[in-house]
Amino acid sequence: MKTQLWLSLVVLAVLATACKPKNYMNSLEELVPNTDSTLVLKMHPRCEIDAKDPNLVHFRMDDVEGWVGMWEIGGRRYTTNSWDSRFQFAGDYAVRVSAYNHHGPTPGITLHFYIEVTDESVCANDDYRYLTGGCDAPEGKTWMLANQTGYYGLIDINTWAIEYLSDYWWAAERGSHQGVYDDELTFFLNANCTYQHKTNGTSGIDSNPFDCPDYATTWELIPAEQNADGFPHLFLSGDGFLPPIPSECQGQHEYVVLTLNDTVLLTKIFKSGSNQAWVHKFVPKND
């Protein structure tokens, strides 16, 4: 009996030693943040203009084990060593480049590149012309919320064509919001794809007004053929938004464009996994 007790104590001692939690303090202390901006240079980041297409840029980094590249341009971030993008306007551009490993990101460096010619197809793009007024409108095109019931509404997420108020689950009546009716949204067709939101001091989340100074950011219109739903998508960088903001969609900046022509901009936004979506209806200022 004593022998069995002694053996049991030995086994428990071995198990206690084997199952002792590892002390991670030393490994955590070794995670010193990257502070050297020259680390990203090990990956040889570069911006290469395509030999055949003067508006196509190849962003490249060499593959270095344990490192991943990050590129930031126009308010968007791309986490990859290599990617391509077209720049339709002539001009100087800058991209912020960094990299990260298990210690975290490195400080960034800035690379510059120059696009020599404007892509002529920009001026011929109907969606750009509808949204911004086109190449002949350097002052841009200003949109405001439609002055009618249904300027903002709730729909089934599977609804893709909005023709009548009966298509809405709920349609806002004029006067049901505050701080949004005088908001002016101006889109410019220029090298920066500028978006200006004149709030006149206030805007709105659902039906609640909040203080919101005028601001400027950038826009991007992603063509229908590049989206699984077959519709153009409007992306606003930074803190850009279309008023009013659905409270459930705060922080989102990408809108599905259901209708875009000379007189109507109709957008749809929804939270992933939801069965409902929100629509915003805008018309040109003074219409």
Side-chain angles (χ1 to χ4, degrees):
M1 188 72 178
K2 290 182 179 179
T3 302
Q4 290 179 342
L5 177 60
W6 180 82
L7 287 174
S8 298
L9 291 173
V10 170
V11 170
L12 287 173
V14 171
L15 288 175
T17 302
C19 299
K20 184 179 180 180
K22 182 178 178 181
N23 185 352
Y24 287 99
M25 289 304 297
N26 291 337
S27 59
L28 288 173
E29 290 170 356
E30 293 169 0
L31 294 180
V32 180
N34 295 317
T35 58
D36 186 355
S37 62
T38 63
L39 290 173
V40 71
L41 297 177
K42 294 180 179 180
M43 302 179 71
H44 189 206
R46 55 205 181 271
C47 311
E48 302 170 340
I49 307 297
D50 188 85
K52 296 182 179 179
D53 185 345
N55 297 98
L56 178 63
V57 181
H58 305 290
F59 297 90
R60 297 289 183 264
M61 288 188 191
D62 293 343
D63 291 330
V64 176
E65 185 176 358
W67 291 87
V68 178
M70 290 194 298
W71 310 78
E72 294 183 62
I73 187 170
R76 304 193 75 171
R77 175 178 292 177
Y78 303 86
T79 306
T80 177
N81 286 6
S82 300
W83 60 288
D84 300 332
S85 185
R86 299 193 82 256
F87 295 82
Q88 296 161 313
F89 293 91
D92 289 300
Y93 294 85
V95 58
R96 191 73 175 164
V97 187
S98 57
Y100 70 89
N101 62 7
H102 65 283
H103 289 294
T106 69
I109 62 172
T110 301
L111 299 181
H112 296 268
F113 58 95
Y114 182 72
I115 300 297
E116 293 187 353
V117 297
T118 295
D119 184 351
E120 294 181 358
S121 66
V122 171
C123 298
N125 185 302
D126 283 339
D127 284 341
Y128 287 173
R129 179 174 59 81
Y130 293 143
L131 182 66
T132 68
C135 292
D136 296 328
E139 71 282 3
K141 184 173 180 178
T142 300
W143 299 84
M144 300 184 74
L145 284 165
N147 190 15
Q148 58 187 220
T149 297
Y151 66 87
Y152 178 61
L154 186 66
I155 61 173
D156 186 299
I157 200 169
N158 296 312
T159 299
W160 296 97
I162 307 293
E163 296 184 18
Y164 309 103
L165 287 179
S166 59
D167 296 323
Y168 288 63
W169 284 355
W170 168 81
E173 295 183 0
R174 196 74 172 182
S176 58
H177 291 80
Q178 299 296 325
V180 298
Y181 302 119
D182 60 353
D183 284 19
E184 299 180 10
L185 320 174
T186 305
F187 294 87
F188 298 84
L189 189 59
N190 55 28
N192 296 321
C193 292
T194 305
Y195 168 67
Q196 291 183 350
H197 185 169
K198 182 179 179 181
T199 65
N200 291 297
T202 58
S203 195
I205 296 178
D206 288 338
S207 58
N208 300 314
F210 62 95
D211 294 337
C212 181
D214 299 348
Y215 68 92
T217 185
T218 61
W219 63 271
E220 180 180 359
L221 196 62
I222 305 169
E225 58 269 20
Q226 295 183 20
N227 302 305
D229 53 35
F231 286 83
H233 284 210
L234 177 63
F235 179 85
L236 303 177
S237 66
D239 295 326
F241 67 95
L242 300 179
I245 310 173
S247 56
E248 67 187 79
C249 297
Q250 289 183 64
Q252 294 179 216
H253 310 286
E254 189 165 346
Y255 298 78
V256 180
V257 179
L258 299 177
T259 303
L260 177 57
N261 54 43
D262 279 326
T263 59
V264 174
L265 169 61
L266 187 68
T267 66
K268 172 181 178 180
I269 189 172
F270 52 88
K271 182 179 179 180
S272 179
S274 176
N275 69 340
Q276 64 185 31
W278 296 88
V279 292
H280 299 73
K281 184 176 182 180
F282 301 95
V283 296
K285 182 181 178 181
N286 300 324
D287 272 17

